[in-house]
């Protein structure tokens, strides 16, 4: 989901979004898609269970958890109430081509994972009919769960949030973080972005974890921003390594926590001082890639690009493209020049100091492998979304060869992009760097931002 969508769900501002445009506006496309997927996924599960929407096994839940303020919860409830009303009006029409298209999109999203599990799949016509019935007969309920509620009135005899209808939407903040069990949770729209992104706090927010049957899991979906997803992915890397060490008894090595001091030197640091933001988990084969930037104008950056060309040609017999080695100092010089050609737009983009520090940390011999590709035309944004492209190389060819090079020393991939305007750039050639961690490197967590 887009960061701008979270802003719409936070404050009432009709200049940014009008509730009556719920079925057509791109400004809440993430939330609309999430709710339609939830209805569709719930109906698929009900059909798999025989088609009768009664009983505990046929009651499903969906959480919206983006803000702790009560005014935001009210705003979200109003948006959802209007959206459900518009869906009901659409379902009662003879010509419901718009709703049919929404349901069809959700259906084909859901059946990808249902097919992977090998479960039975109801037909598209059957699901369309059930979704319309669910909407017209108001199988959906919405409840705000925050400190204004008497929580006891919302709980069932087992101490779980009561599922009153087949499809239940819960909107809330801190009370949803922890302490309340929510049964049959198959949808989670998450946007909490605390100032201090610490691992234990985020895991407490993350209610998508926890047991559910595989049939429920097949229709479970999680919605968040790209930045939050990347932070959760880092948490997963840390946790997976800890689990691996525990299972294999590798407590003699553990994980090294490192940061840079005021002079830019890599030093050990306490795990308690690590923030998830601007953090890199180093393991063999890991790639460190700047993601989320624009280049400068051609007239401003062309001399820097020529200087990089000169360094590479001097080390590769007059050629740019190829596989060769350069000194660590030359690698750092190239990174210095590259960051003069780009303007970072994403808070989580790897910055210059981090990139150079990692080169210095990983290179033990004073040499760096280089894999240089030329004449590349990667688009600035992904074709299927408005998110930044994150892979300036070909995985099967470029990355494979770069990893083969990174046996004892890291590989610096330098993908020389044409930077065409048609691809979202500034019509200026530039280098996109990627650092590939070598084999047998000690597992380490590196941060450029240490809590004071």
């Amino acid at each position: 989901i887009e960061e701008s969508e979270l802003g719409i769900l936070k404050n009432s501002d009709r200049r940014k979004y009008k509730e009556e445009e719920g079925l057509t506006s791109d400004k809440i496309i993430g939330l609309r898609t999430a709710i339609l997927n939830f209805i569709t996924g719930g109906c698929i599960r009900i059909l798999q269970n025989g088609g009768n929407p009664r009983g505990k096994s046929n009651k499903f839940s969906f959480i919206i958890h983006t803000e702790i303020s009560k005014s935001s919860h009210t705003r979200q409830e109003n948006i959802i109430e209007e959206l459900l009303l518009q869906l009901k009006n659409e379902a009662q029409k003879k010509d419901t081509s718009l709703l049919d298209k929404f349901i069809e999109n959700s259906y084909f999203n859901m059946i990808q994972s249902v097919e992977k599990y090998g479960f039975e799949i109801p037909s598209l016509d059957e699901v369309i009919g059930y979704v319309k019935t669910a909407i017209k007969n108001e199988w959906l309920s919405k409840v705000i769960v925050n400190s204004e509620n008497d929580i006891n009135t919302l709980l069932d005899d087992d101490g779980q949030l009561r599922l009153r209808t087949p499809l239940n939407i819960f909107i809330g903040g801190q009370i949803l973080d922890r302490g309340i069990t929510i049964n049959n949770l198959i949808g989670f729209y998450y946007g909490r972005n605390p100032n201090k992104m610490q691992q234990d706090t985020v895991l407490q927010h993350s209610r998508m974890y926890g047991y559910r049957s595989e049939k429920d899991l097949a229709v479970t979906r999680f919605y968040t921003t790209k930045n939050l997803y990347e932070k959760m992915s880092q948490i997963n890397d840390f946790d997976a390594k800890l689990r691996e060490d525990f299972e294999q008894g590798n407590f003699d090595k553990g994980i090294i926590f490192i940061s840079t001091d005021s002079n830019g030197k890599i030093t050990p640091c306490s795990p308690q001082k690590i923030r998830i933001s601007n953090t890199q988990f180093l393991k063999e084969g890991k790639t460190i890639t700047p993601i989320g930037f624009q280049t400068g104008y051609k007239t401003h950056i062309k001399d820097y690009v020529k200087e990089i060309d000169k360094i590479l040609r001097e080390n590769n017999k007059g050629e740019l493209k190829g596989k060769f080695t350069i000194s660590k100092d030359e690698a750092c010089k190239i990174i210095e020049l590259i960051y003069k050609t780009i303007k970072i737009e994403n808070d989580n983009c790897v910055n210059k100091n981090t990139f150079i520090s990692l080169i210095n940390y990983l290179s033990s011999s004073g040499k760096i492998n280089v894999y240089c590709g030329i004449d590349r035309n990667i688009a600035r944004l992904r074709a299927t979304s408005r998110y930044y492209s994150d892979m300036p190389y070909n995985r099967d060819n470029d990355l494979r060869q770069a990893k083969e090079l990174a046996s004892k020393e890291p590989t610096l991939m330098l993908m020389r992009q044409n930077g065409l305007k048609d691809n979202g750039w500034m019509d200026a050639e530039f280098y996109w760097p990627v650092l590939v961690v070598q084999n047998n490197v000690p597992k380490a967590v590196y941060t450029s931002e240490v809590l004071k």
Side-chain angles (χ1 to χ4, degrees):
I1 54 177
E2 298 285 349
E3 298 279 357
S4 58
E5 183 170 306
L6 295 181
I8 288 171
L9 298 182
K10 184 177 181 179
N11 298 310
S12 299
D13 187 345
R14 288 184 59 81
R15 293 171 299 177
K16 293 183 178 179
Y17 172 72
K18 298 177 177 64
E19 282 84 347
E20 59 269 24
E21 299 173 351
L23 294 186
T24 56
S25 174
D26 286 342
K27 294 179 180 179
I28 61 156
I29 190 171
L31 180 64
R32 183 175 63 235
T33 300
I35 290 177
L36 282 158
N37 284 352
F38 169 58
I39 300 170
T40 304
C43 287
I44 288 174
R45 288 293 295 114
I46 292 169
L47 285 166
Q48 289 173 332
N49 289 338
N52 187 343
R54 295 183 179 179
K56 285 187 176 181
S57 62
N58 282 331
K59 291 183 177 179
F60 301 94
S61 54
F62 176 89
I63 285 179
I64 298 174
H65 182 27
T66 66
E67 294 289 334
I68 61 174
S69 72
K70 296 167 188 174
S71 60
S72 295
H73 302 159
T74 302
R75 165 70 163 161
Q76 292 162 15
E77 183 186 36
N78 292 338
I79 289 175
I80 292 168
E81 183 174 14
E82 180 63 28
L83 179 60
L84 295 179
L85 178 61
Q86 291 175 35
L87 286 172
K88 184 176 180 179
N89 292 337
E90 194 70 23
Q92 291 171 338
K93 294 179 182 178
K94 287 185 179 180
D95 176 15
T96 61
S97 56
L98 177 62
L99 181 55
D100 287 349
K101 185 63 177 177
F102 284 150
I103 300 171
E104 184 178 338
N105 289 342
S106 292
Y107 175 82
F108 286 111
N109 179 297
M110 290 292 151
I111 65 170
Q112 292 182 62
S113 47
V114 176
E115 281 181 339
K116 288 288 186 181
Y117 275 102
F119 299 136
E120 65 274 20
I121 300 173
S123 69
L124 174 59
D125 289 342
E126 197 174 11
V127 172
I128 288 176
Y130 250 73
V131 170
K132 289 180 179 177
T133 298
I135 293 170
K136 287 188 289 187
N137 293 349
E138 298 184 357
W139 289 6
L140 287 99
S141 65
K142 60 185 183 334
V143 179
I144 292 178
V145 184
N146 60 30
S147 57
E148 284 189 347
N149 303 124
D150 179 358
I151 295 300
N152 291 326
T153 64
L154 301 177
L155 302 181
D156 61 18
D157 294 337
D158 297 324
Q160 302 182 13
L161 276 181
R162 183 179 287 109
L163 305 186
R164 302 175 186 274
T165 59
L167 301 166
N168 301 265
I169 299 173
F170 296 107
I171 304 163
Q174 288 178 319
I175 289 177
L176 289 179
D177 287 352
R178 56 189 78 89
I180 294 180
T181 302
I182 305 165
N183 221 0
N184 298 350
L185 179 63
I186 63 170
F188 189 28
Y189 183 100
Y190 179 70
R192 283 287 299 278
N193 201 355
N195 292 329
K196 296 180 180 179
M197 180 63 73
Q198 291 174 296
Q199 179 163 328
D200 56 349
T201 303
V202 175
L203 288 175
Q204 287 173 337
H205 293 176
S206 302
R207 301 305 296 272
M208 68 284 187
Y209 297 118
Y211 176 78
R212 54 177 64 76
S213 73
E214 287 193 341
K215 285 191 173 182
D216 286 351
L217 188 61
V219 297
T220 296
R221 296 293 184 270
F222 174 62
Y223 309 88
T224 194
T225 64
K226 179 66 175 173
N227 285 344
L228 281 170
Y229 172 80
E230 288 172 350
K231 290 171 182 176
M232 288 184 167
S233 180
Q234 290 174 346
I235 288 174
N236 184 70
D237 283 343
F238 302 158
D239 194 61
K241 174 54 187 161
L242 182 63
R243 181 179 295 274
E244 177 188 316
D245 281 349
F246 181 80
E247 290 175 345
Q248 297 179 4
N250 295 334
F251 297 114
D252 55 326
K253 295 180 180 178
I255 300 177
I256 303 167
F257 288 83
I258 54 177
S259 66
T260 50
D261 62 17
S262 57
N263 297 317
K265 183 180 178 183
I266 294 270
T267 60
C269 71
S270 167
Q272 284 79 16
K273 294 185 177 181
I274 291 284
R275 278 184 179 170
I276 294 301
S277 57
N278 298 319
T279 301
Q280 300 292 329
F281 183 61
L282 304 181
K283 60 181 181 180
E284 60 182 51
K286 168 88 173 182
T287 56
I288 293 99
T289 311
I291 300 167
F293 61 87
Q294 178 59 283
T295 69
Y297 292 103
K298 184 174 184 177
T299 53
H300 295 165
I301 71 172
K302 63 180 182 180
D303 289 342
Y304 298 127
V305 175
K306 286 180 180 178
E307 195 170 346
I308 297 169
D309 291 345
K310 181 173 180 288
I311 295 172
L312 297 180
R313 285 196 170 100
E314 287 174 349
N315 286 277
N316 191 34
K317 301 176 181 178
E319 299 292 331
L320 289 178
K321 182 180 178 181
K323 296 181 283 188
F324 49 98
T325 61
I326 60 176
S327 71
K328 181 166 63 175
D329 290 342
E330 287 173 315
C332 292
K333 175 65 174 176
I334 287 171
I335 298 304
E336 289 269 7
L337 292 168
I338 287 175
Y339 276 88
K340 289 180 179 180
T341 68
I342 64 175
K343 299 175 182 178
I344 292 176
E345 299 176 332
N346 176 11
D347 290 342
N348 290 326
C349 183
V350 180
N351 60 40
K352 180 188 71 175
N353 292 339
T354 294
F355 209 115
I356 290 174
S357 294
L358 291 174
I359 288 175
N360 285 318
Y361 174 72
L362 292 170
S363 175
S364 58
S365 69
K367 291 288 185 180
I368 295 286
N369 301 302
V370 171
Y371 178 92
C372 185
I374 61 172
D375 198 25
R376 302 303 175 95
N377 289 297
I378 298 295
R380 181 166 166 266
L381 302 177
R382 295 184 189 180
T384 56
S385 71
R386 287 172 282 180
Y387 293 125
Y388 295 108
S389 294
D390 58 1
M391 196 179 295
Y393 48 79
N394 179 287
R395 185 194 297 272
D396 296 329
N397 183 31
D398 298 325
L399 185 59
R400 176 183 56 80
Q401 293 188 61
K403 286 186 174 182
E404 288 173 355
L405 279 178
S407 57
K408 295 182 180 179
E409 296 293 346
T411 297
L412 178 60
M413 299 177 71
L414 295 170
M415 299 289 103
R416 198 179 195 280
Q417 305 290 332
N418 291 322
L420 302 177
K421 191 172 183 179
D422 288 345
N423 287 329
W425 301 105
M426 304 292 287
D427 263 345
E429 295 173 324
F430 70 98
Y431 280 93
W432 195 334
V434 179
L435 190 62
V436 182
V437 179
Q438 71 267 33
N439 298 335
N440 301 318
V441 71
K443 305 295 189 298
V445 175
Y446 168 81
T447 183
S448 60
E449 182 181 7
V450 177
L451 294 172
K452 297 190 187 301

